[in-house]
PDB file of all heavy atoms in Angstrom:
ATOM      1  N   HIS A 204     199.954 251.410 127.041  1.00 97.00           N
ATOM      2  CA  HIS A 204     198.681 251.361 127.698  1.00 97.00           C
ATOM      3  C   HIS A 204     198.216 249.860 127.900  1.00 97.00           C
ATOM      4  O   HIS A 204     198.567 248.996 126.955  1.00 97.00           O
ATOM      5  CB  HIS A 204     197.721 252.180 127.042  1.00 97.00           C
ATOM      6  CG  HIS A 204     197.560 253.602 127.248  1.00 97.00           C
ATOM      7  ND1 HIS A 204     197.585 254.080 128.578  1.00 97.00           N
ATOM      8  CD2 HIS A 204     198.056 254.647 126.455  1.00 97.00           C
ATOM      9  CE1 HIS A 204     197.590 255.492 128.385  1.00 97.00           C
ATOM     10  NE2 HIS A 204     197.860 255.909 127.117  1.00 97.00           N
ATOM     11  N   ASP A 205     197.562 249.554 128.905  1.00 97.00           N
ATOM     12  CA  ASP A 205     197.085 248.214 129.222  1.00 97.00           C
ATOM     13  C   ASP A 205     195.641 247.957 128.731  1.00 97.00           C
ATOM     14  O   ASP A 205     195.081 246.848 129.082  1.00 97.00           O
ATOM     15  CB  ASP A 205     197.217 247.906 130.691  1.00 97.00           C
ATOM     16  CG  ASP A 205     198.578 248.054 131.166  1.00 97.00           C
ATOM     17  OD1 ASP A 205     199.506 247.848 130.387  1.00 97.00           O
ATOM     18  OD2 ASP A 205     198.832 248.476 132.417  1.00 97.00           O
ATOM     19  N   HIS A 206     195.040 248.885 128.120  1.00 96.00           N
ATOM     20  CA  HIS A 206     193.686 248.746 127.551  1.00 96.00           C
ATOM     21  C   HIS A 206     193.424 249.745 126.508  1.00 96.00           C
ATOM     22  O   HIS A 206     194.324 250.457 126.145  1.00 96.00           O
ATOM     23  CB  HIS A 206     192.774 249.013 128.856  1.00 96.00           C
ATOM     24  CG  HIS A 206     191.509 248.243 128.835  1.00 96.00           C
ATOM     25  ND1 HIS A 206     190.747 247.961 127.665  1.00 96.00           N
ATOM     26  CD2 HIS A 206     190.761 247.643 129.889  1.00 96.00           C
ATOM     27  CE1 HIS A 206     189.695 247.198 127.918  1.00 96.00           C
ATOM     28  NE2 HIS A 206     189.691 247.077 129.312  1.00 96.00           N
ATOM     29  N   ASN A 207     192.154 249.622 125.912  1.00 97.00           N
ATOM     30  CA  ASN A 207     191.648 250.593 124.908  1.00 97.00           C
ATOM     31  C   ASN A 207     192.277 251.938 125.179  1.00 97.00           C
ATOM     32  O   ASN A 207     192.091 252.634 126.167  1.00 97.00           O
ATOM     33  CB  ASN A 207     190.164 250.520 125.079  1.00 97.00           C
ATOM     34  CG  ASN A 207     189.386 251.294 123.967  1.00 97.00           C
ATOM     35  OD1 ASN A 207     189.918 251.991 123.264  1.00 97.00           O
ATOM     36  ND2 ASN A 207     188.175 250.923 123.844  1.00 97.00           N
ATOM     37  N   VAL A 208     192.851 252.609 124.146  1.00 98.00           N
ATOM     38  CA  VAL A 208     193.337 254.006 124.136  1.00 98.00           C
ATOM     39  C   VAL A 208     192.233 254.824 123.444  1.00 98.00           C
ATOM     40  O   VAL A 208     191.930 254.769 122.334  1.00 98.00           O
ATOM     41  CB  VAL A 208     194.682 254.204 123.401  1.00 98.00           C
ATOM     42  CG1 VAL A 208     195.203 255.661 123.660  1.00 98.00           C
ATOM     43  CG2 VAL A 208     195.708 253.082 123.822  1.00 98.00           C
ATOM     44  N   SER A 209     191.634 255.646 124.201  1.00 97.00           N
ATOM     45  CA  SER A 209     190.374 256.235 123.787  1.00 97.00           C
ATOM     46  C   SER A 209     190.634 257.768 123.300  1.00 97.00           C
ATOM     47  O   SER A 209     189.745 258.343 122.497  1.00 97.00           O
ATOM     48  CB  SER A 209     189.349 256.445 124.902  1.00 97.00           C
ATOM     49  OG  SER A 209     189.961 256.619 126.102  1.00 97.00           O
ATOM     50  N   SER A 210     191.826 258.483 123.501  1.00 98.00           N
ATOM     51  CA  SER A 210     191.932 259.740 123.219  1.00 98.00           C
ATOM     52  C   SER A 210     193.460 260.138 122.847  1.00 98.00           C
ATOM     53  O   SER A 210     194.373 259.534 123.593  1.00 98.00           O
ATOM     54  CB  SER A 210     191.425 260.703 124.238  1.00 98.00           C
ATOM     55  OG  SER A 210     191.587 262.010 123.899  1.00 98.00           O
ATOM     56  N   ILE A 211     193.676 260.976 121.980  1.00 98.00           N
ATOM     57  CA  ILE A 211     195.022 261.269 121.682  1.00 98.00           C
ATOM     58  C   ILE A 211     195.074 262.832 121.275  1.00 98.00           C
ATOM     59  O   ILE A 211     194.159 263.247 120.578  1.00 98.00           O
ATOM     60  CB  ILE A 211     195.557 260.479 120.388  1.00 98.00           C
ATOM     61  CG1 ILE A 211     197.084 260.645 120.249  1.00 98.00           C
ATOM     62  CG2 ILE A 211     194.947 260.626 119.105  1.00 98.00           C
ATOM     63  CD1 ILE A 211     197.913 259.764 121.158  1.00 98.00           C
ATOM     64  N   THR A 212     196.125 263.487 121.585  1.00 98.00           N
ATOM     65  CA  THR A 212     196.303 264.884 121.200  1.00 98.00           C
ATOM     66  C   THR A 212     197.696 265.198 121.177  1.00 98.00           C
ATOM     67  O   THR A 212     198.576 264.690 122.005  1.00 98.00           O
ATOM     68  CB  THR A 212     195.402 265.735 122.116  1.00 98.00           C
ATOM     69  OG1 THR A 212     195.463 267.131 121.575  1.00 98.00           O
ATOM     70  CG2 THR A 212     195.921 265.759 123.523  1.00 98.00           C
ATOM     71  N   PHE A 213     198.113 266.244 120.331  1.00 98.00           N
ATOM     72  CA  PHE A 213     199.528 266.764 120.402  1.00 98.00           C
ATOM     73  C   PHE A 213     199.632 267.892 121.380  1.00 98.00           C
ATOM     74  O   PHE A 213     198.773 268.624 121.484  1.00 98.00           O
ATOM     75  CB  PHE A 213     199.843 267.234 118.943  1.00 98.00           C
ATOM     76  CG  PHE A 213     200.270 266.146 117.934  1.00 98.00           C
ATOM     77  CD1 PHE A 213     199.268 265.539 117.243  1.00 98.00           C
ATOM     78  CD2 PHE A 213     201.540 265.827 117.783  1.00 98.00           C
ATOM     79  CE1 PHE A 213     199.573 264.550 116.267  1.00 98.00           C
ATOM     80  CE2 PHE A 213     201.872 264.869 116.837  1.00 98.00           C
ATOM     81  CZ  PHE A 213     201.003 264.235 116.171  1.00 98.00           C
ATOM     82  N   MET A 214     201.018 267.955 122.046  1.00 97.00           N
ATOM     83  CA  MET A 214     201.201 269.146 122.668  1.00 97.00           C
ATOM     84  C   MET A 214     201.440 270.241 121.768  1.00 97.00           C
ATOM     85  O   MET A 214     201.927 269.952 120.652  1.00 97.00           O
ATOM     86  CB  MET A 214     202.471 268.826 123.625  1.00 97.00           C
ATOM     87  CG  MET A 214     202.290 267.922 124.692  1.00 97.00           C
ATOM     88  SD  MET A 214     201.047 268.370 125.969  1.00 97.00           S
ATOM     89  CE  MET A 214     201.946 269.609 126.908  1.00 97.00           C
ATOM     90  N   PRO A 215     201.174 271.434 122.129  1.00 96.00           N
ATOM     91  CA  PRO A 215     201.292 272.601 121.125  1.00 96.00           C
ATOM     92  C   PRO A 215     202.857 272.699 120.613  1.00 96.00           C
ATOM     93  O   PRO A 215     203.036 273.110 119.502  1.00 96.00           O
ATOM     94  CB  PRO A 215     201.124 273.938 121.938  1.00 96.00           C
ATOM     95  CG  PRO A 215     200.224 273.424 123.092  1.00 96.00           C
ATOM     96  CD  PRO A 215     200.658 272.040 123.316  1.00 96.00           C
ATOM     97  N   SER A 216     203.769 272.357 121.428  1.00 94.00           N
ATOM     98  CA  SER A 216     205.253 272.393 120.856  1.00 94.00           C
ATOM     99  C   SER A 216     205.413 271.417 119.737  1.00 94.00           C
ATOM    100  O   SER A 216     206.426 271.611 118.963  1.00 94.00           O
ATOM    101  CB  SER A 216     206.131 271.907 122.043  1.00 94.00           C
ATOM    102  OG  SER A 216     205.904 270.589 122.441  1.00 94.00           O
ATOM    103  N   GLY A 217     204.673 270.397 119.617  1.00 94.00           N
ATOM    104  CA  GLY A 217     204.826 269.387 118.580  1.00 94.00           C
ATOM    105  C   GLY A 217     205.815 268.252 118.871  1.00 94.00           C
ATOM    106  O   GLY A 217     206.009 267.382 118.068  1.00 94.00           O
TER     107      GLY A 217
END
Side-chain angles (χ1 to χ4, degrees):
H204 281 295
D205 302 328
H206 212 319
N207 190 338
V208 189
S209 36
S210 179
I211 190 85
T212 187
F213 279 87
M214 293 297 284
S216 66

